[in-house]
Amino acid sequence: MASAATALDLSAAPAEDPPKSTTVFNEPSSDASISDHPIAPDQFDPKWETDRLEIWSYYAYYIGNDGLTLFNFAPTAFQNLLYQAAGDGTTLVFAGSFAIQIVVFLLLGSFADFGTWRPNILIGLSLVAWGIGFGWLGVHDPSRWEVATGMYIVGLIAYQTTLTFWTAAFPGLARNTPELREKAEAYQAGEISRADYDYADTMKRSELSNMAFYIQSLGEIVILAIIVGIMFAVDVNASTANNNWGLSVLIAFATGVWVLLSIPWFLKEKRRAGQEIPPNMNIVTVGFWQLSRALRQIWHLKQSLIYLIGYFLLGDSLNTTVTVIATLQNSIVAYNTLELTYLLIVGIAAQAIGIYAFWRAQQHFRLSTKTMFNIVAFSIIILDCWGMIGIWTQRFGFHHVWEVWLYQVFYGLFVCPWYSYSQIMISEVTPRGREFLFFSLFSIIGKTSSFIGPLVSSAIIDATPSGNNSTPFYFLAGLSAVSFAICVFGVDLERSKREQEVFLEGEERARLQLKGVEVMVESKEGMEVKSGGNV
């Protein structure tokens, strides 16, 4: 994919004696109409066109990287060993991983938007994740809780980064499909409006993201069904040791599936060129250059920042809600591997139905991505309100086994679409060609929320005389309502598109100045010369 702001080849610029050329830009304005642009924002090279095999390879990777390994069962195995090792009244101390994740996301994300090497990032991170997944076969005794802690931390980092760099590829896949090529040609020929072109772009991105999630859900059900058979073979209910071993076995099995299903994507992904590396820079220095510019210029993308705030608050609420409910759930069904697997099967089946229903509704009623996102956000409020009722009564509010099963169904049908539509929203507020950096920035925000929320909830529980584990729902219901209001009333995707156009034009001027080209900015007051080097 090539962005509208990268029409010139900067790689051909000589290191010395820059050409005496001048490029004229109109003075940017965030209120300008984006429909005035004479060319479609995405230009195509037939050899990079997305085909069905590449798309299905993309889906297959997500079936393998379904989270069963390092996101679902590995944390359960870690908590299980920690509980057995700690006993009553014992405190075990281990280091956090948040700072490490920030460095990994920012550095890799800033480099990945340049050149053709970015698929190697996902391959390398996947290798690390697979090593951790198979490594759990050697960690199933409480005496090895410290090793389990390290594997838990590194495993979560590997899982989150692989998921981020896999997800960031879907806008490029969508915008290189034959359907979008035809829309681009129709727009340039004056047969459709810019609004029509942008709607087709949105719907194609929504289709790829939602179908990936839907197909992953179906595949995960099959994997979980096989896991049930493995659990019976290991006889996890026979003893604590068998249960510990069963958790390690299923993590390793799911990792093996991940390895097999990743190979098609690694082979079929087309290494589309990202941004050109400016003169006198290399892949390392240009990453720091883009990161520093993005941190300075992102303040001009006001709608992106508003969504960033809403995404942080709602993500904080959702992550903490899931954590609190998981704590209540584990107190009801303990850490029984077989019952937890049954619960996951129900939840994933509901998730598949929910995401497909959301996507079909969006298609049928021609709903915007923001509308679908707002429905999910409102569903999170309902979930928190249900938990809040459990503060005052034991009749319901996540106190009974039947509620655990009902939660899996509701969460799958109405809340799980968050994991697709929140990513589509990120692609809506991300300037073209900056997907890997911006998805990394949003991933940091997501990880921040999962780090802060549980701390606040723990403090609330500790401050409550009764020690009621449901008391955080006061905080969570309010937080969900505030974040919902920010996203509904604060985010304007049409204004965001205009801001992105201005941002990309500014970035193009900066690259031309690095090349030594004089940049003329045409404004109402006349022509202003901005010579090279002032970036």
Side-chain angles (χ1 to χ4, degrees), residues 33-114:
S33 173
I34 60 175
S35 62
D36 293 337
H37 287 255
I39 62 172
D42 300 298
Q43 303 304 302
F44 295 85
D45 185 331
K47 70 178 180 180
W48 302 126
E49 190 164 278
T50 306
D51 57 36
R52 292 187 61 82
L53 186 56
E54 186 180 15
I55 290 175
W56 278 94
S57 299
Y58 180 76
Y59 294 161
Y61 182 90
Y62 195 28
I63 298 174
N65 190 10
D66 52 18
L68 290 177
T69 52
L70 305 179
F71 185 73
N72 288 111
F73 285 115
T76 300
F78 159 66
Q79 293 168 12
N80 184 38
L81 296 181
L82 200 65
Y83 176 79
Q84 293 175 37
D88 294 331
T90 305
T91 301
L92 301 177
V93 181
F94 55 91
S97 63
F98 182 61
I100 300 173
Q101 295 179 60
I102 290 179
V103 173
V104 171
F105 277 122
L106 282 181
L107 291 183
L108 293 182
S110 59
F111 300 149
D113 283 318
F114 292 88

Side-chain angles (χ1 to χ4, degrees), residues 262-316:
S262 297
I263 293 174
W265 175 239
F266 294 161
L267 295 177
K268 297 304 298 182
E269 181 184 8
K270 295 178 179 178
R271 291 178 175 257
R272 300 174 180 87
Q275 302 173 57
E276 298 286 352
I277 298 177
N280 301 322
M281 290 190 185
N282 55 46
I283 194 62
V284 176
T285 58
V286 77
F288 288 106
W289 177 75
Q290 167 160 282
L291 179 58
S292 65
R293 281 198 57 80
L295 294 176
R296 283 183 284 135
Q297 299 300 321
I298 195 174
W299 308 108
H300 300 293
L301 298 170
K302 294 181 177 60
Q303 295 303 310
S304 302
L305 288 174
I306 293 173
Y307 177 63
L308 190 68
I309 295 170
Y311 177 80
F312 167 77
L313 293 177
L314 196 57
D316 191 21

Side-chain angles (χ1 to χ4, degrees), residues 26-34 37 495 497-499 501-503 505 509 524:
N26 291 323
E27 183 181 54
S29 170
S30 60
D31 295 323
S33 173
I34 60 175
H37 287 255
R495 182 175 291 275
K497 292 174 184 176
R498 295 193 292 270
E499 292 176 350
E501 293 283 335
V502 173
F503 175 85
E505 289 177 2
R509 289 198 303 273
K524 295 179 181 179

Side-chain angles (χ1 to χ4, degrees), residues 313-323 380 411 415 418-419:
L313 293 177
L314 196 57
D316 191 21
S317 174
L318 178 57
N319 288 331
T320 311
T321 296
V322 170
T323 300
I380 297 173
Y411 183 78
V415 179
W418 153 271
Y419 298 103

Side-chain angles (χ1 to χ4, degrees), residues 43 56 65 226 304 368 377 384 421 434 469 472 476:
Q43 303 304 302
W56 278 94
N65 190 10
I226 297 173
S304 302
S368 68
D384 289 326
Y421 280 99
R434 308 302 189 280
N469 287 332
L476 295 172

